[in-house]
Amino acid sequence: MSKGSVPMEVQKILNEYDLSKLSVATAGSHSALQILHGAKKEGLRTVLIVKKDRLDFYRTFSHFIDEFIIIENWSEILEKDVKDNLIALNSIIIPHGSFVEYVGSKNLQKYEVPIFGSRKILEWEATQEKKMELLRRAGIRVPKEFKSPEEVDRLVIVKLGGAKGGRGYFLASTPEEVKEGLEKLGNPSNYIIQEYVIGVPAYYHVFNSKVYNRIEITGMDIRYESNVDGLRRLPPKYASKVSPTFTVVGNIPMVLRESLLITVYNYAKSFVEVTKEVVGEEIVGPFCLESIITENGEIVVFEFSGRIVAGTNVYIDGSPYSYLYWDEPMSVGRRIAREIRKARDKGMLEEILR
Amino acid sequence: MSKGSVPMEVQKILNEYDLSKLSVATAGSHSALQILHGAKKEGLRTVLIVKKDRLDFYRTFSHFIDEFIIIENWSEILEKDVKDNLIALNSIIIPHGSFVEYVGSKNLQKYEVPIFGSRKILEWEATQEKKMELLRRAGIRVPKEFKSPEEVDRLVIVKLGGAKGGRGYFLASTPEEVKEGLEKLGNPSNYIIQEYVIGVPAYYHVFNSKVYNRIEITGMDIRYESNVDGLRRLPPKYASKVSPTFTVVGNIPMVLRESLLITVYNYAKSFVEVTKEVVGEEIVGPFCLESIITENGEIVVFEFSGRIVAGTNVYIDGSPYSYLYWDEPMSVGRRIAREIRKARDKGMLEEILR
Amino acid sequence: MSKGSVPMEVQKILNEYDLSKLSVATAGSHSALQILHGAKKEGLRTVLIVKKDRLDFYRTFSHFIDEFIIIENWSEILEKDVKDNLIALNSIIIPHGSFVEYVGSKNLQKYEVPIFGSRKILEWEATQEKKMELLRRAGIRVPKEFKSPEEVDRLVIVKLGGAKGGRGYFLASTPEEVKEGLEKLGNPSNYIIQEYVIGVPAYYHVFNSKVYNRIEITGMDIRYESNVDGLRRLPPKYASKVSPTFTVVGNIPMVLRESLLITVYNYAKSFVEVTKEVVGEEIVGPFCLESIITENGEIVVFEFSGRIVAGTNVYIDGSPYSYLYWDEPMSVGRRIAREIRKARDKGMLEEILR
């Protein structure tokens, strides 16, 4: 058990694990239900770190949640007690978007509990500039970027860093509008100004499997954003008085033209390759490419997520695409658990944990 | 068989039923296919009250419809013949939105055939004012209401009472616009003026189970409304010439941010509690909370349905959420049948029938 | 083996087939994954005609693709080599939209390999005028048509012929706008000018089964079109500067009000009848009626597809409607394969092949 690049301290902990009693653990939010439900179906034990005020809800799912680690505040995830508890339960953490937000991508780098997937990619994801660099280096089409408000000469979207679910994004079309918008948000420093590409949004869920040695397209979705997706229901005379906002509140399923699916596959493959070279750690398991498709059928990727995205909740009972690989309802949560189970059985856990 | 609050006359009829030959019955519209298909899968017998001109269509599903009660007009549901027929078949009525509309919520109160779920809640649902009162008393956030056109000082939506599928709803932003709109509709008396909350619509399907003693979130949808959801595809110069209308013609699946799911669960729980206190009869089985989600992630409920909604048709083959409870395709139709079957087997039919 | 109206030459080839080793074949695009996946599940062999540059992608699905016929250009489908290869593998071609586009609907008429469904209908589909005539003769409501730009007195959509996925469609509301638009597209000759019906789009997937002697509604979808479905996310001041375009890039699931489902069924039934009379060949297997639903719940059909549509990809793992017939995940791809398998077993292949 030593060939992989699992951090030394994590490797030590993993060496002590009873692999026949592995648990999958995550925090109670984002895609936790899917992750634990899937783990249970694959015969693993399940652990939920949950805030007290959410316990009532999650208890209605105790048929697939074995252990609750109850906390008052998310910051307690970083405390020794919680970590010891997780380790005692032979836990593997599945870091979803909220988990990363609660713990912080920096703290996550040295978190002692074994984590499924790549830790490093989550640091790249946290910075808008590094994020876009990675996509560019993978040869993936990205929107034009503007270094400063002054350069803005077309419709742009201004985005703050971190996984805040689209809160604080805004549209602008002149340097003045950009500056005004930033001021309203208290002049943050971690932001990017991206060309607003005209087309339709589409989010592709991909899974890089070490066990099956292939890249799977597990599904795709359209984010449902408030208030922008509601404004379209207003007559122009009313809609023109409201500024669009982009808080993600849910997700809608979609499928893609099969010819475009091939583009997505090629993008995903390049992306995996580039993580090896540039991040120095291959992305493993689920990730997401987030795009606009133009009227010419070009796919312009404006962001990625280096872990499971909430859009996969659309497919807790399986997706049209996952069915092509599995012929049974395979959520991404369950897919992760299957990868863990198979990797354990083949003695290759080091290749998928960090 | 006497502990529940089943109306005396219905209890008498129920006492005569051959419980080993229970039928699930409903009218041929709304969610009838789902209801009967689900009942068949649970081993119950199925009865469809169907208008002659729809028989050709429903006959293509006779592999799960045991009996057709053929009528010329929906009003015949109230006739003795039909009721006798239903009773002879040991029928339990599942009252969907169209069924309630055909029979009338008042007539339904004294309909002799046993009904699944609460009858009283359907009367509360029929009056816009009582409807909103119930939500308010459950501590659920609702839109501001305006008592008269004169008070209107912002964008509002004016809604007529009764389950008419959004027909006749209109937008206005001044007292004059409200009055004009009402005039066009012949100055109806049963209407409310609600603040038009800016955000995105979302409809949550909930199931209050007496057998499993829990509240399940069975799915959610977005209503697909004509013409408002088509106008968004028109350039503003054309769209501005057409008034939006809100006729529900279909439904689109969605899932919710997991943290918002907890809000929905809490709302649903309060709502069930308040039906006990205020309506004097606990809501049982499926209901729906109908909301706008604001850009701050607040859920504002503008309406409820106290019975199965047509949006559940999205999930005849199961929903992402129902899969978390059942691990098999569980429509709300089938869920109702399972509740009936289990309640029968446990001798607790009185708790779920009225 | 001679009762059907299979073309003589095709009949000859079919006579030589080893029916115990039937293959389902199609080209690598559109709905190929679904078609071959479904065929495999029904125990048939599978053949993919695939362009070299797509091989890498399709190979990740080799668990259900038995044979790859690798080509450089789609035009090679017409070459003897490819056809011989297909025939040697006892292939039945499933002609999806891209297959018809690559081969050409005229060439398809005399293509030697047996084809599932009707060949003739695909020629009717290729011409906008014949297409609309067929719908009209079936008594289906269609949009008003304008014979020349001069007649245009309302909002219209101008459409070019052929299955180009909505590319080149444009809106106009005056004769001048129509002429300008046509000029920009190089003054094509195969186009129609249709009234733009105000309402919401909906696409119904239907299957005419000879084996089960019934018409099944297998699903429905909303097309996801770039850029028109993205423009709705722009504030009016920005949206008004961009012309909507209608390139189909994906599909979104939906269900219909059950009462409207009956209308769809009746339309589909009339349509099948009219193909017998007018086309002289009954449409067999999957087709699609493409509609706008008005605020009054009227369904106006503006187009049809006489074969499997890409919108069925939404339901590779089954649809809410297909579940009502099959109680197992039944894609349209699989449904086709089941029809072929059952027809073979019953000796009625001639009724479903052309």
Side-chain angles (χ1 to χ4, degrees), chain B residues 26-43:
Chain B
T26 197
S29 200
H30 195 276
S31 48
L33 289 171
Q34 175 193 164
I35 289 168
L36 300 190
H37 175 263
K40 198 71 189 170
K41 284 193 85 69
E42 293 298 310

Side-chain angles (χ1 to χ4, degrees), chain C residues 112-123:
Chain C
E112 289 88 348
V113 189
I115 279 179
F116 176 77
S118 162
R119 293 179 189 231
K120 285 189 189 157
I121 194 83
L122 297 170
E123 253 196 310

Side-chain angles (χ1 to χ4, degrees), chain A residues 272-286:
Chain A
V272 169
E273 282 309 308
V274 100
T275 56
K276 283 194 238 179
E277 294 161 30
V278 179
V279 178
E281 189 172 274
E282 182 176 345
I283 191 166
V284 161

Side-chain angles (χ1 to χ4, degrees), chain C residues 4-6 14 22 92-93 114-119 207-212 282-285 335-344 348-354:
Chain C
S5 60
V6 185
L14 197 55
L22 276 186
I92 294 168
I93 297 271
I115 279 179
F116 176 77
S118 162
R119 293 179 189 231
F207 193 97
N208 182 32
S209 170
K210 300 307 290 175
V211 170
Y212 291 86
E282 182 176 347
I283 191 166
V284 161
R335 185 66 191 81
I336 291 170
R338 178 152 305 178
E339 190 82 359
I340 291 172
R341 179 166 67 80
K342 292 276 184 189
R344 178 195 60 191
M348 55 187 285
L349 272 182
E350 279 79 4
E351 293 186 43
I352 63 165
L353 303 183
R354 290 293 171 266

Side-chain angles (χ1 to χ4, degrees), chain A residues 219-281:
Chain A
M220 56 196 62
D221 76 289
I222 303 167
R223 291 195 183 152
Y224 194 43
E225 296 174 351
S226 183
N227 62 20
V228 67
D229 288 317
L231 293 185
R232 69 194 191 203
R233 290 168 55 94
L234 278 180
K237 67 172 168 172
Y238 301 126
S240 62
K241 289 174 193 153
V242 187
S243 293
T245 52
F246 304 89
T247 307
V248 184
V249 299
N251 305 270
I252 297 167
M254 68 163 287
V255 296
L256 199 64
R257 229 172 206 227
E258 195 159 306
S259 55
L260 295 178
L261 204 59
I262 300 168
T263 308
V264 169
Y265 176 78
N266 290 333
Y267 276 9
K269 217 175 149 186
S270 302
F271 187 74
V272 169
E273 282 309 308
V274 100
T275 56
K276 283 194 238 179
E277 294 161 30
V278 179
V279 178
E281 189 172 274

Side-chain angles (χ1 to χ4, degrees), chain C residues 130-142 263 266-275 277-278 287 289 301 304:
Chain C
K130 292 181 85 173
K131 200 180 218 171
M132 297 314 295
E133 190 197 327
L134 212 54
L135 290 168
R136 261 190 303 269
R137 292 182 69 165
I140 292 171
R141 258 206 76 185
V142 298
T263 309
N266 290 332
Y267 276 10
K269 217 176 148 182
S270 303
F271 187 74
V272 169
E273 281 311 307
V274 101
T275 57
E277 295 160 30
V278 180
F287 62 99
L289 297 177
V301 177
F304 75 82

Side-chain angles (χ1 to χ4, degrees), chain A residues 24-74:
Chain A
V24 157
T26 197
S29 200
H30 195 276
S31 48
L33 289 171
Q34 176 194 163
I35 289 168
L36 300 191
H37 175 263
K40 198 71 189 169
K41 282 192 86 71
E42 292 298 310
L44 302 176
R45 300 180 68 211
T46 55
V47 181
L48 187 73
I49 308 165
V50 62
K51 270 178 68 184
K52 221 170 174 174
D53 58 3
R54 297 182 168 196
L55 192 55
D56 195 27
F57 169 71
Y58 281 105
R59 277 245 166 90
T60 65
F61 298 99
S62 42
H63 49 286
F64 64 75
I65 305 177
D66 295 320
E67 300 281 341
F68 292 91
I69 298 179
I70 302 161
I71 58 180
E72 299 276 348
N73 296 296
W74 291 121

Side-chain angles (χ1 to χ4, degrees), chain C residues 84-322:
Chain C
D84 285 351
N85 210 336
L86 286 168
I87 291 167
L89 291 161
N90 307 295
S91 299
I92 294 168
I93 297 271
I94 315 300
H96 54 53
S98 301
F99 189 93
V100 176
E101 197 189 330
Y102 301 149
V103 168
S105 62
K106 284 226 160 54
N107 291 325
L108 198 66
Q109 301 307 312
K110 45 188 199 299
Y111 200 71
E112 289 88 348
V113 189
I115 279 179
F116 176 77
S118 162
R119 293 179 189 231
K120 285 189 189 157
I121 194 83
L122 297 170
E123 253 196 310
W124 282 72
E125 186 191 332
T127 316
Q128 291 281 12
E129 275 173 29
K130 292 181 85 173
K131 200 180 218 171
M132 297 314 295
E133 190 197 327
L134 212 54
L135 290 168
R136 261 190 303 269
R137 292 182 69 165
I140 292 171
R141 258 206 76 185
V142 298
K144 185 177 160 61
E145 219 164 277
F146 296 91
K147 297 265 181 277
S148 74
E150 279 73 23
E151 290 174 23
V152 169
D153 62 356
R154 69 193 75 180
L155 188 58
V156 297
I157 183 162
V158 184
K159 298 170 168 186
L160 306 197
K164 295 273 189 294
R167 260 174 251 205
Y169 288 13
F170 66 92
L171 296 182
S173 64
T174 63
E176 290 68 38
E177 283 177 18
V178 176
K179 286 179 210 161
E180 265 173 49
L182 286 170
E183 242 170 75
K184 271 189 206 159
L185 294 168
N187 286 315
S189 60
N190 181 9
Y191 69 88
I192 56 165
I193 306 173
Q194 272 184 351
E195 173 189 12
Y196 185 95
V197 178
I198 302 287
V200 294
Y203 298 78
Y204 317 110
H205 318 152
V206 185
F207 193 97
N208 182 32
S209 170
K210 300 307 290 175
V211 170
Y212 291 86
N213 194 26
R214 70 179 177 198
I215 288 168
E216 300 168 14
I217 295 170
T218 61
M220 54 196 62
D221 76 291
I222 304 167
R223 290 194 184 153
Y224 194 43
E225 296 174 352
S226 185
N227 62 22
V228 68
D229 288 317
L231 293 184
R232 70 196 190 200
R233 290 167 56 94
L234 277 180
K237 68 171 167 172
Y238 302 127
S240 61
K241 289 175 193 153
V242 187
S243 293
T245 51
F246 303 90
T247 308
V248 184
V249 299
N251 305 270
I252 296 168
M254 68 163 287
V255 297
L256 199 64
R257 232 175 202 224
E258 196 160 306
S259 54
L260 296 178
L261 204 58
I262 300 168
T263 309
V264 169
Y265 175 79
N266 290 332
Y267 276 10
K269 217 176 148 182
S270 303
F271 187 74
V272 169
E273 281 311 307
V274 101
T275 57
K276 283 192 239 180
E277 295 160 30
V278 180
V279 178
E281 188 171 275
E282 182 176 347
I283 191 166
V284 161
F287 62 99
C288 182
L289 297 177
E290 304 165 7
S291 81
I292 297 292
I293 312 173
T294 72
E295 67 183 71
N296 303 316
E298 281 180 307
I299 298 180
V300 184
V301 177
F302 58 81
E303 219 160 307
F304 75 82
S305 298
R307 32 89 199 158
I308 188 171
V309 285
T312 60
N313 288 332
V314 171
Y315 303 116
I316 297 180
D317 52 344
S319 86
Y321 296 116
S322 70

